[in-house]
Amino acid sequence: MSNVEQTLSIIKPDAVERNLTEEIKIIFKKNNLQIKNHKKIHITKEEAAEFYKIHQSKPFYNDLCNYLSSGPIVVIILEGEDAVLKNRKIMGATDPNNAAENTIRKLYGISIDKNSVHGSDSLENAKKEIGFFFNN
Ligand code: CMP
């Protein structure tokens, strides 16, 4: 049975700044994740704080919000078979040092903060995160 899902990807400031957007989009497409919508935006710290509010009790929350609002990001709706889990596999572990070979974070991530991409961690959060950036 097919299980077509949508998930949200964010190409973070470190990757946008290094002109990695197209390379990362190619990785999604090669893995049969279609780009249904995308836009380059620069969000405020307040918007970042709202987006990441699930992490508000974490010690890294303030730095995280400063970072996501520090420069342009590209937000992408990905669609495909098991898109949520597939995108997480393609991204690799949060810390690039622990990420598997050939994952986006292993290839391009600089540190646990500058880890190049964000991806929704569940279908429920994917719906919320897509709704946050796209009015659909
Ligand atoms: P992301 O998948 O965007 O979700 C939250 C982000 O917090 C995560 O990627 C990391 O970039 C960042 N972060 C910073 N420190 C930590 C940490 N100790 N554990 C998890 N995430 C962290």
Side-chain angles (χ1 to χ4, degrees):
M1 263 236 312
S2 88
N3 182 41
V4 175
E5 299 171 342
Q6 289 192 340
T7 190
L8 184 87
S9 173
I10 302 177
I11 305 184
K12 296 188 182 184
D14 64 275
V16 174
E17 185 178 84
R18 288 177 289 150
N19 295 314
L20 294 169
T21 302
E22 287 313 310
E23 279 172 64
I24 293 172
K25 283 182 179 170
I26 288 168
I27 295 175
F28 293 142
K29 289 178 203 161
K30 276 186 180 162
N31 284 277
N32 297 318
L33 288 175
Q34 238 188 302
I35 292 172
K36 295 300 277 186
N37 206 342
H38 65 118
K39 60 184 175 186
K40 189 175 185 178
I41 53 176
H42 191 160
I43 61 171
T44 63
K45 182 172 179 181
E46 289 67 34
E47 288 167 329
E50 181 62 23
F51 178 76
Y52 273 134
K53 72 173 181 231
I54 197 167
H55 294 300
Q56 63 191 346
S57 63
K58 311 268 174 63
F60 55 84
Y61 180 59
N62 189 50
D63 286 347
L64 178 61
C65 300
N66 280 331
Y67 175 59
L68 199 72
S69 57
S70 68
I73 58 174
V74 178
V75 289
I76 301 171
I77 301 177
L78 294 172
E79 185 178 290
E81 193 69 23
D82 301 318
V84 174
L85 192 62
K86 186 184 273 184
N87 182 40
R88 291 188 69 78
K89 280 192 182 156
I90 295 168
M91 285 195 299
T94 308
D95 185 344
N97 288 316
N98 301 329
E101 289 302 321
N102 290 316
T103 58
I104 295 171
R105 285 166 168 166
K106 180 72 172 186
L107 290 170
Y108 306 123
I110 296 169
S111 65
I112 196 165
D113 301 299
K114 296 183 174 181
N115 62 354
S116 299
V117 279
H118 166 83
S120 310
D121 65 1
S122 65
L123 191 56
E124 191 190 343
N125 281 336
K127 287 178 182 151
K128 286 185 195 157
E129 292 183 357
I130 289 170
F132 186 88
F133 288 111
F134 297 92
N135 303 315
N136 56 357

